[in-house]
């Protein structure tokens, strides 16, 4: 499946907005039009799940008239992480429920969208090196990774359980049988849990499964391939001698190859992959009960985002309750880059992951008839295309280049049989490549060269048809050659694999960027991991499958890299909070590639990457295992954030499940104890507070090292932190002042605490706004 650029089709928008659920077997006094609503009751009132479920049924029966009707209308009962239920309701029934005592809020269901042989070596986690976190954590043995996605293909070799011990005794989850999925044979000591959730989705979709032409299974079995790919990336077992059509050959495995996997199928292979909030919330509820250590969600929504306290964002709500119980929740930043303000999953309790390329490339030689060889990139492993005619479609209309646009190729009056076609596109997405290759192939062409904006995420064209990507500079050189000769020729050679120098990692073009559109003072994304051309297991039904494996790109692929690393950290540091783990990852991340050169971000044009591109940087798992200091947080800190956002007390109480009253004096969002400092609107000066916790040697001294942003003065008091066995936490103040006399964009720097062994680096992002577009208290 193409992970990037998937948009909800206009037809599906209509289905989502206007289809109604005609309840089968429901008595005549139930109105015909009903939709799934989530009735949120806040924190659990009882510890006994059956009592909670009975309460939910009684509450629903009171509104719909009988227990029998209530049973038919009930979709889910949420009883572990929080109390609530999902039910099929008419508008009037939803209103009546909202008026009952104890009901915090009634909200409509909504839909979410889905957003490796080399990558682990690139991250310093080679299985052949004894001196890394992979080995010190016993490859994640004992950790449990929960994956919310499209399920799994259980026969894949990456899910074998050879060498694994018994299932951890704390595990309380289940494996559920279903269509072509037998819990007793398909679950094992690797796949220790498998559930599926579809009631919320089907109620909105309004049709039976498998009526759209897409094949699906009413079970944890994965028809799409996306879930198998993400699960195997996070915690798959070792499988040797794997490649994608001969490229990227090596051993595939997950980040924590001895961790256990719990699969929660919340997304369905319908219209590109859709997931319902009601289903996601139920999966969170179960996962909290089951005993997972980390949750991996390669799922997003759409811009504009819902607020942190709006339960229509099932991910923000569910993850709050999971994090409150010590479960790290890892989510993708989304694939809407390189534009600013496009990052999703922005709540500060979520660990939000951007995507990078790595030090691997697939150069593909293009030899012109004048014997000059240019390099493009492709996943082309077919036979060499010997010298053949090369054409570019010229237009006789007002725009001479219109006919040569990849999206609008028209070959009605031109013969391209046996020829290679050059075209240009203004987009970096896959759409133009697919359209152009399909048109040229159908017309008898033997290959296409696509000149486009730089983007290292590659796609294999159907049937090994050569579709080679080049940037505009190379494309223009090929075009000039075509226009300079009467009979232009070209030879296309199969792609090769190169790793290491001279290939340098970059923030991927598609990776969504900050600033955070909900709260600019909360840095998002948090961290970056490889997410371009990631080779992992997939479903045999997957669109780009080759021998059970696929090379996919997206923040969907970078997210499970971080989830696997979190599992390793959880084994090493079982008592670390989700915030401590996030801090360790951010403050130890790399800002340079293996060559020592700064990391760039793909875009228009490529620029040096900044915190809005990659958060703290590219993940450094070995460094995160021993960060020295961490910026820790708990529920009280997140409530501080919610109060600083000026959400009202009732909205905060709904989210947290406990009565909350914010201070009468406004608290500063800048004082949320993040491992980063982001000031979106600095007038003159601002002083913020941070607290660090020593997780290293008991007796140590740290000194502040400041790299101030341009035109910004930064001071720290105290600038020396002295820790001993009785002093483990120290607070300090950071004063940030501007010398700019005009409004500016963001400038970037850092604050690093170092003791000669550790360098605890916090990214610093500051924008001067003397004339502000909105009010704040900075």
């Amino acid at each position: 499946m193409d992970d990037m650029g998937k948009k909800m089709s206009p037809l599906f928008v209509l289905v989502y907005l206007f289809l109604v659920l005609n309840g089968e077997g429901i008595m005549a006094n139930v109105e015909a039009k009903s939709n799934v609503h989530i009735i949120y009751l806040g924190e659990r009132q009882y510890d006994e799940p059956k009592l909670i479920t009975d309460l939910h049924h009684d509450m629903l029966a009171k509104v719909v008239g009988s227990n029998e009707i209530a049973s038919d209308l009930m979709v889910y009962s949420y009883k572990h992480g929080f109390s609530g239920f999902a039910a099929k309701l008419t508008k009037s029934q939803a209103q009546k429920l909202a008026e009952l005592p104890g009901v915090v809020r009634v909200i409509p269901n909504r839909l979410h969208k889905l957003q490796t042989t080399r990558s682990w070596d690139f991250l310093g986690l080679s299985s052949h090196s004894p001196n890394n976190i992979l080995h010190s954590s016993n490859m994640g043995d004992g950790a449990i990774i929960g994956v919310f996605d499209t399920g799994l293909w259980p026969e894949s070799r990456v899910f074998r359980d050879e060498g694994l011990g018994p299932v951890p005794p704390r595990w309380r989850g289940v494996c559920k049988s279903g269509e072509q999925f037998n819990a007793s044979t398909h679950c094992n000591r690797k796949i220790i849990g498998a559930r599926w959730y579809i009631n919320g989705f089907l109620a909105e979709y309004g049709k039976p499964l498998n009526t759209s032409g897409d094949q699906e299974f009413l079970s944890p079995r994965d028809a799409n391939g996306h879930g198998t790919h993400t699960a195997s990336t996070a915690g798959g077992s070792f499988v040797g001698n794997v490649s994608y059509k001969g490229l990227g050959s090596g051993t595939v495995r997950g980040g924590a190859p001895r961790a256990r996997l719990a699969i929660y199928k919340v997304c369905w292979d319908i219209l590109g992959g859709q997931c319902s909030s009601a289903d996601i919330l139920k999966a969170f509820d179960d996962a909290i009960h089951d005993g997972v250590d980390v949750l991996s969600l390669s799922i997003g929504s759409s811009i504009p985002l819902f607020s942190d306290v709006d339960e229509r964002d099932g991910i923000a709500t569910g993850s709050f309750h999971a994090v409150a119980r010590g479960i790290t929740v890892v989510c993708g930043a989304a694939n809407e880059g390189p534009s600013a303000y496009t990052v999703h999953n922005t709540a500060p309790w979520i660990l939000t992951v951007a995507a990078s390329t790595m030090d691997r490339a697939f150069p593909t030689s293009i030899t012109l008839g004048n014997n000059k060889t240019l390099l493009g990139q492709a996943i082309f492993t077919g036979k060499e295309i010997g010298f053949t005619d090369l054409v570019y479609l010229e237009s006789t209309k007002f725009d001479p280049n219109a006919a040569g646009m990849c999206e609008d190729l028209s070959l009605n009056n031109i013969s391209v049989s046996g020829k290679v076609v050059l075209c240009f596109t203004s987009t970096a997405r896959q759409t133009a490549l697919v359209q152009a290759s399909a048109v040229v192939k159908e017309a008898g062409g033997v290959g296409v060269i696509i000149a486009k904006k730089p983007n290292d995420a590659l796609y294999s064209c159907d049937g090994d048809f050569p579709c080679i990507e080049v940037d505009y500079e190379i494309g223009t050189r090929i075009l000039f050659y075509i226009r300079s000769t009467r009979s232009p020729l070209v030879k296309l050679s199969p792609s090769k694999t190169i790793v290491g120098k001279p290939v340098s990692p970059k923030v991927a073009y598609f990776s969504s960027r900050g600033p955070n559109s909900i709260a600019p003072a909360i840095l998002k994304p948090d961290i970056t991991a490889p997410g371009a051309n990631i080779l992992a297991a997939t479903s045999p039904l997957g669109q780009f499958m080759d021998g059970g494996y696929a090379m996919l790109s997206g923040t969907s692929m970078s997210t499970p890299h971080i989830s696997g690393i979190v599992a390793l950290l959880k084994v090493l540091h079982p008592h670390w909070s989700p915030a401590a783990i996030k801090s360790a990852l951010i403050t130890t991340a790399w800002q340079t590639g293996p060559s020592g050169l700064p990391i760039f971000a793909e875009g228009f044009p490529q620029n040096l990457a900044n915190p809005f591109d990659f958060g703290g940087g590219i993940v450094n798992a070995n460094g995160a295992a021993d960060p020295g200091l961490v910026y820790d947080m708990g529920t009280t800190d997140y409530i501080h954030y919610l109060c600083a956002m000026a959400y009202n007390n009732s909205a905060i109480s709904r989210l947290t499940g406990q009565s909350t009253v914010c201070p009468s004096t406004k608290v500063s969002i800048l004082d949320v104890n993040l491992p980063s400092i982001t000031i979106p609107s600095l007038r003159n000066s601002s002083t913020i507070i941070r607290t660090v916790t020593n997780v290293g040697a008991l007796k140590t001294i740290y000194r502040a090292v400041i790299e101030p942003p341009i035109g910004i003065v930064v001071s720290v008091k105290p600038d020396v932190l002295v820790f001993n066995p009785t002093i483990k936490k120290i607070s300090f103040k950071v004063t940030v002042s501007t010398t700019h006399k005009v409004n500016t964009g963001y400038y970037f720097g850092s604050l690093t605490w170092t003791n000669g062994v550790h360098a605890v680096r916090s990214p610093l992002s500051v924008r001067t706004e003397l004339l502000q577009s909105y009010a704040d208290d900075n």
Side-chain angles (χ1 to χ4, degrees):
M1 167 188 155
D2 169 23
D3 187 68
M4 299 185 311
K6 289 290 185 186
K7 303 292 183 185
M8 191 181 294
S9 71
L11 172 62
F12 190 75
V13 173
L14 291 173
V15 169
Y16 173 69
L17 292 175
F18 300 121
L19 264 184
V20 297
L21 176 67
N22 295 308
E24 296 179 9
I26 298 175
M27 295 174 65
N29 64 333
V30 178
E31 299 173 39
K33 289 189 176 181
S34 59
N35 294 92
V36 173
H37 289 71
I38 299 165
I39 296 80
Y40 185 66
L41 305 177
E43 194 68 15
R44 295 182 303 166
Q45 300 301 312
Y46 308 101
D47 291 329
E48 175 55 50
K50 187 177 185 305
L51 284 177
I52 300 173
T53 299
D54 290 345
L55 171 69
H56 298 163
H57 275 277
D58 291 346
M59 189 175 285
L60 183 56
K62 198 176 287 187
V63 168
V64 300
S66 76
N67 287 324
E68 291 76 16
I69 297 176
S71 294
D72 285 333
L73 295 176
M74 184 70 75
V75 177
Y76 294 119
S77 175
Y78 308 122
K79 52 188 180 289
H80 300 299
F82 51 92
S83 179
F85 59 94
K88 294 171 278 190
L89 302 171
T90 65
K91 208 170 191 179
S92 62
Q93 290 168 342
Q95 181 60 40
K96 289 176 183 176
L97 267 168
E99 295 168 357
L100 290 180
V103 174
V104 175
R105 193 174 183 194
V106 176
I107 52 176
N109 187 27
R110 68 183 292 262
L111 297 178
H112 295 255
K113 295 175 286 185
L114 290 169
Q115 324 209 256
T116 98
T117 49
R118 176 61 186 171
S119 58
W120 298 116
D121 288 354
F122 166 69
L123 294 176
L125 295 177
S126 169
S127 60
H128 302 296
S129 171
N131 301 315
N132 61 37
I133 182 181
L134 183 66
H135 292 279
S136 59
S137 66
N138 196 20
M139 302 191 185
D141 196 6
I144 302 171
I145 304 172
V147 182
F148 287 16
D149 215 295
T150 61
L152 84 159
W153 195 264
E155 291 83 4
S156 176
R157 291 189 294 162
V158 296
F159 300 129
R160 294 178 304 182
D161 64 356
E162 282 88 344
L164 293 179
V167 173
R170 60 192 171 85
W171 175 246
R172 299 189 300 273
V174 298
C175 273
K176 293 178 63 178
S177 294
E179 186 180 359
Q180 296 191 35
F181 189 93
N182 186 323
S184 62
T185 57
H186 289 138
C187 286
N188 54 23
R189 290 169 298 174
K190 167 62 74 174
I191 305 299
I192 63 173
R195 305 175 184 254
W196 79 97
Y197 307 82
I198 196 171
N199 294 346
F201 173 73
L202 284 183
E204 297 299 339
Y205 186 49
K207 302 186 211 175
L209 205 61
N210 293 324
T211 57
S212 68
D214 298 306
Q215 183 176 359
E216 253 299 358
F217 304 97
L218 277 172
S219 75
R221 184 172 289 278
D222 181 11
N224 180 292
H226 191 275
T228 301
H229 200 281
T230 57
S232 64
T233 301
S237 300
F238 288 87
V239 180
N241 196 28
V242 171
S243 69
Y244 185 69
K245 299 184 177 182
L247 295 175
S249 181
T251 297
V252 298
R253 65 171 177 87
R258 293 181 65 85
R260 315 309 169 94
L261 291 169
I263 305 301
Y264 301 86
K265 182 177 178 179
V266 297
C267 300
W268 298 85
D269 191 25
I270 308 292
L271 302 166
Q274 301 292 333
C275 333
S276 150
S277 282
D279 297 334
I280 290 171
L281 278 171
K282 181 57 178 171
F284 269 115
D285 190 47
D286 285 339
I288 290 169
H289 166 268
D290 292 346
V292 301
D293 296 303
V294 55
L295 284 171
S296 187
L297 284 78
S298 294
I299 302 170
S301 53
S302 58
I303 300 290
L305 304 174
F306 289 106
S307 76
D308 303 290
V309 295
D310 192 324
E311 297 90 342
R312 284 175 290 182
D313 184 350
I315 295 175
T317 301
S319 63
F320 182 91
H321 292 280
V323 169
R325 287 160 176 81
I327 301 168
T328 299
V329 180
V330 186
C331 296
N335 302 320
E336 298 180 19
S339 299
Y341 294 100
T342 54
V343 62
H344 296 193
N345 296 312
T346 58
W349 48 87
I350 292 174
L351 180 49
T352 309
V353 186
S356 73
T357 65
M358 50 186 165
D359 59 344
R360 181 176 69 184
F362 303 105
T364 308
S365 295
I366 302 168
T367 305
L368 304 178
N370 57 9
N371 286 323
K372 289 186 177 179
T373 298
L374 307 173
L375 287 180
Q377 283 216 80
I379 301 177
F380 169 44
T381 57
K383 294 181 179 179
E384 179 179 274
I385 306 296
F387 279 108
T388 190
D389 291 340
L390 173 63
V391 297
Y392 173 75
L393 306 182
E394 303 274 8
S395 174
T396 57
K397 299 180 180 179
F398 291 111
D399 182 358
N401 293 316
M405 296 301 293
C406 300
E407 301 92 322
D408 302 311
L409 283 181
S410 177
L411 306 178
N412 294 336
N413 302 317
I414 301 173
S415 171
V416 297
S417 180
K419 301 176 182 178
V420 173
V421 176
L422 169 70
C423 67
F424 284 72
T425 179
S426 59
T427 178
R429 304 284 180 182
Q430 184 196 11
T431 310
L433 181 147
V434 170
Q435 291 177 344
S437 61
V439 169
V440 172
K441 185 177 181 181
E442 186 177 355
V446 295
V448 61
I449 301 171
I450 295 122
K452 58 194 282 292
K453 295 170 182 175
N455 180 2
D456 281 344
L458 300 176
Y459 303 92
S460 174
C461 286
D462 186 43
D464 236 347
F465 186 77
C467 44
I468 300 173
E469 301 177 33
V470 297
D471 61 24
Y472 287 146
E473 179 185 351
I474 299 295
T476 301
R477 290 175 65 182
I478 296 172
L479 178 58
F480 284 1
Y481 161 71
I482 292 173
R483 288 173 170 170
S484 69
T485 183
R486 182 168 297 178
S487 301
L489 300 173
V490 68
K491 178 174 70 174
L492 305 180
S493 302
S495 306
K496 297 179 180 180
T497 303
I498 62 171
V499 296
K501 297 178 181 180
V503 185
S504 179
K506 299 181 285 291
V507 177
Y509 174 91
F510 56 79
S511 186
S512 285
R513 313 296 165 90
N516 178 340
S517 62
I518 292 179
I522 305 298
L523 178 64
K524 291 289 176 174
D526 294 305
I527 194 71
T528 300
N533 309 320
I534 302 301
L535 181 60
T538 190
S539 163
L541 305 178
Q543 183 180 357
F544 299 105
M545 190 276 298
D546 178 53
Y549 299 88
M551 193 173 284
L552 302 180
S553 297
T555 56
S556 282
M557 284 64 249
S558 58
T559 298
H561 277 83
I562 297 298
S563 302
I565 290 170
V566 169
L568 302 181
L569 292 173
K570 195 68 176 175
V571 171
L572 286 178
H573 305 288
H575 302 299
W576 278 11
S577 69
I581 290 173
K582 179 196 286 192
S583 173
L585 292 169
I586 291 173
T587 60
T588 60
W590 293 319
Q591 291 81 50
T592 59
S595 65
L597 295 175
I599 295 167
F600 278 76
E602 294 180 338
F604 314 132
Q606 289 190 20
N607 290 305
L608 286 175
N610 64 56
F612 296 139
D613 299 318
F614 63 6
I618 293 179
V619 65
N620 170 12
N622 295 313
D626 181 23
L629 304 175
V630 295
Y631 295 81
D632 205 0
M633 288 196 289
T635 300
T636 301
D637 299 276
Y638 299 130
I639 291 175
H640 175 111
Y641 159 76
L642 295 168
C643 290
M645 287 291 289
Y647 297 132
N648 62 51
N649 291 334
S650 60
I652 297 172
S653 299
R654 287 198 305 265
L655 175 66
T656 63
Q658 60 191 50
S659 178
T660 302
V661 178
C662 291
S664 54
T665 56
K666 182 169 167 45
V667 295
S668 173
I669 195 171
L670 299 180
D671 289 335
V672 178
N673 200 41
L674 296 167
S676 58
I677 298 172
T678 306
I679 305 178
S681 186
L682 182 65
R683 295 174 190 169
N684 296 307
S685 69
S686 183
T687 298
I688 67 173
I689 299 173
R690 289 290 186 271
T691 300
V692 287
T693 302
N694 181 23
V695 293
L698 294 179
K699 295 182 67 174
T700 187
I701 298 174
Y702 281 86
R703 290 176 170 81
V705 177
I706 299 168
E707 293 183 16
I710 294 174
I712 302 297
V713 178
V714 181
S715 62
V716 181
K717 290 185 179 179
D719 59 0
V720 177
L721 306 179
V722 180
F723 294 94
N724 59 44
T726 60
I727 300 177
K728 296 183 178 180
K729 289 190 176 188
I730 298 178
S731 297
F732 59 89
K733 292 182 179 181
V734 182
T735 299
V736 182
S737 306
T738 181
T739 63
H740 297 293
K741 303 302 181 185
V742 296
N743 287 1
T744 70
Y746 280 95
Y747 290 107
F748 305 99
S750 64
L751 164 63
T752 303
W753 291 102
T754 180
N755 65 351
V757 176
H758 302 96
V760 188
R761 182 184 184 276
S762 292
L764 179 57
S765 312
V766 182
R767 177 173 64 182
T768 299
E769 275 206 339
L770 303 177
L771 179 63
Q772 296 176 298
S773 56
Y774 58 91
D776 67 16
D777 293 337
N778 295 341

